[in-house]
Amino acid sequence: MNRKRLSAYGIRVGNMQPGPLDKISDVPGVRVGHATIRDARHHTGVTVILPCEDNMFAKKLTAAGFVLNGFGKTQGLVQIDELGTLETPIALTNTLNVGVVHDALVTYMDARCRADHVPMHSINPVVGECNDASLNAISDRPVTAAHVMQAIECACADFDEGDVGAGAGTVCHGLKGGIGSASRVLTIAGKTYTLGVLVQSNHGCLEELTVCGRRLGEEILERRAQKPQPEPNDRGSIMMVTATDLPVSDRQLRRIIKRCAVGLARCGSYFGHGSGDVMIGFTTQNRVPHGGMHRVLTQQVLTEHTLELAFRAIAEATQEAVLNSLCCADDVQAENGTVYEGIGRYL
């Protein structure tokens, strides 16, 4: 399997310092797991982001969401927008398996809360999706609750990227997409923080694909002796999940994650009509205890002008995460014989 990341080709995104793994899991406590389904009819799966080691329903994480283009079926964003907190892992899958994955997260958190003696009468699972029907017989809905549990159980810091988990069947800029990640380290007032991004890429048109200023999509079309389409179609979706340990409010976090769009645009996306461009973010700082016992919460947050560095970091990390999702993916053949190539042969 190809797991050669963008940096292995001697290509660097921006000038900021990445974390040790250059992944979302560089944020302390964050882990990622996959369950992948591959057979003659199916290339799909589920990817789960675990934001912390402890019970996140009992001690919720400050969170935010932003929908740039809403052609999608994501669950859980309404309550995040209202309350500014995250209380379950974030799971990514295909469009028609959102319900099953949602139910599995309820089961997982119910068992966790029972074990921790934390009453749980309602919960807000967060599930993102992309439509992988080009490579997957999506109406079969092959993802099960067991796959969600498998992804949770195998979650780790140094996780695979490319055509794995929720990225097994995705197509990005006409090539094989998938799961990609990157991180950046920030120093503010003498303290070091980390911001990481994970994407499930399933968007864009080949003609517009740009790699650090290089119009690679046009080059690929020339090499294939194909003409650009008169009206390029940027369709599909991309889920962008941001983790950080910056001390910010949910409002500030929403300001930060909006800048994922900058990194996405640098890769050649113009957020077309049929593209669902969804951003979800959380911070491991400023946790919010569950229940009504706490009438007043005291938090420390950065001043607004300090966010400038985070804006720059998330733009770089998103751009690199999208490109890593392409670089780490192998060629995959659909049931009808169509082959979606990995980008590596063209770099």
Side-chain angles (χ1 to χ4, degrees):
M1 298 176 69
N2 174 42
R3 295 293 177 257
K4 192 175 179 181
R5 308 181 85 214
L6 182 70
S7 59
Y9 294 94
I11 302 172
R12 181 173 179 177
V13 174
N15 296 312
M16 296 186 71
Q17 180 67 32
L21 294 173
D22 196 14
K23 296 179 180 180
I24 192 174
S25 48
D26 287 326
V27 178
V30 176
R31 295 172 294 136
V32 175
H34 307 294
T36 306
I37 301 170
R38 290 192 184 95
D39 58 41
R41 286 176 56 80
H42 307 110
H43 294 277
T44 193
V46 61
T47 295
V48 179
I49 300 101
L50 297 169
C52 58
E53 300 283 352
D54 60 323
N55 188 324
M56 57 186 298
F57 182 79
K59 197 176 180 183
K60 306 176 196 305
L61 290 98
T62 295
F66 180 70
V67 179
L68 183 60
N69 195 61
F71 207 133
K73 316 297 183 292
T74 303
Q75 289 193 345
L77 291 190
V78 172
Q79 185 167 310
I80 287 180
D81 285 346
E82 187 69 23
L83 302 182
T85 56
L86 176 70
E87 56 190 31
T88 75
I90 298 170
L92 307 175
T93 189
N94 70 66
T95 304
L96 298 188
N97 269 126
V98 169
V100 168
V101 174
H102 177 282
D103 189 63
L105 287 180
V106 173
T107 299
Y108 169 74
M109 289 304 299
D110 179 60
R112 181 70 187 266
C113 287
R114 288 177 186 273
D116 294 338
H117 305 289
V118 176
M120 190 200 85
H121 304 296
S122 178
I123 197 163
N124 184 52
V126 177
V127 186
E129 56 79 30
C130 289
N131 192 313
D132 56 14
S134 295
L135 281 163
N136 177 45
I138 193 169
S139 61
D140 291 350
R141 290 163 288 173
V143 176
T144 67
H147 290 113
V148 179
M149 299 308 170
Q150 178 186 335
I152 292 171
E153 290 168 4
C154 74
C156 62
D158 196 9
F159 55 91
D160 284 338
E161 298 167 277
D163 49 313
V164 293
T170 60
V171 177
C172 182
H173 285 283
L175 303 172
K176 184 66 191 76
I179 300 295
S181 192
S183 70
R184 292 295 183 269
V185 175
L186 306 79
T187 300
I188 299 174
K191 293 185 178 181
T192 300
Y193 303 98
T194 303
L195 183 150
V197 175
L198 179 145
V199 303
Q200 177 192 15
S201 65
N202 192 51
H203 67 287
C205 60
L206 181 57
E207 181 181 347
E208 296 296 322
L209 175 60
T210 305
V211 178
C212 297
R214 178 184 172 190
R215 298 282 293 181
L216 185 61
E218 292 178 351
E219 294 179 25
I220 294 172
L221 287 172
E222 289 178 6
R223 190 181 301 190
R224 293 176 176 175
Q226 291 178 258
K227 293 183 179 180
Q229 295 296 315
E231 294 185 10
N233 193 342
D234 185 346
R235 60 184 177 186
S237 294
I238 180 168
M239 295 297 309
M240 294 160 277
V241 180
T242 299
T244 187
D245 55 2
L246 287 165
V248 290
S249 67
D250 61 291
R251 180 189 57 79
Q252 291 176 320
L253 189 57
R254 192 169 191 264
R255 293 192 69 203
I256 293 169
I257 65 174
K258 284 182 180 180
R259 271 68 180 186
C260 284
V262 178
L264 200 56
R266 288 175 180 172
C267 295
S269 175
Y270 57 85
F271 325 117
H273 161 69
S275 182
D277 309 296
V278 179
M279 306 157 198
I280 304 169
F282 63 86
T283 176
T284 57
Q285 300 296 313
N286 292 332
R287 303 284 293 273
V288 179
H290 174 68
M293 297 296 293
H294 302 269
R295 300 299 175 120
V296 178
L297 294 177
T298 301
Q299 297 181 335
Q300 287 188 324
V301 297
L302 296 173
T303 55
E304 298 301 316
H305 73 275
T306 312
L307 301 181
E308 194 80 21
L309 198 58
F311 294 164
R312 179 182 167 194
I314 200 167
E316 286 191 10
T318 304
Q319 181 183 3
E320 186 177 351
V322 171
L323 296 175
N324 277 334
S325 76
L326 288 159
C327 288
C328 292
D330 290 308
D331 295 357
V332 176
Q333 181 173 317
E335 189 178 16
N336 65 6
T338 302
V339 175
Y340 293 91
E341 297 177 304
I343 200 175
R345 61 171 52 83
Y346 298 110
L347 292 174

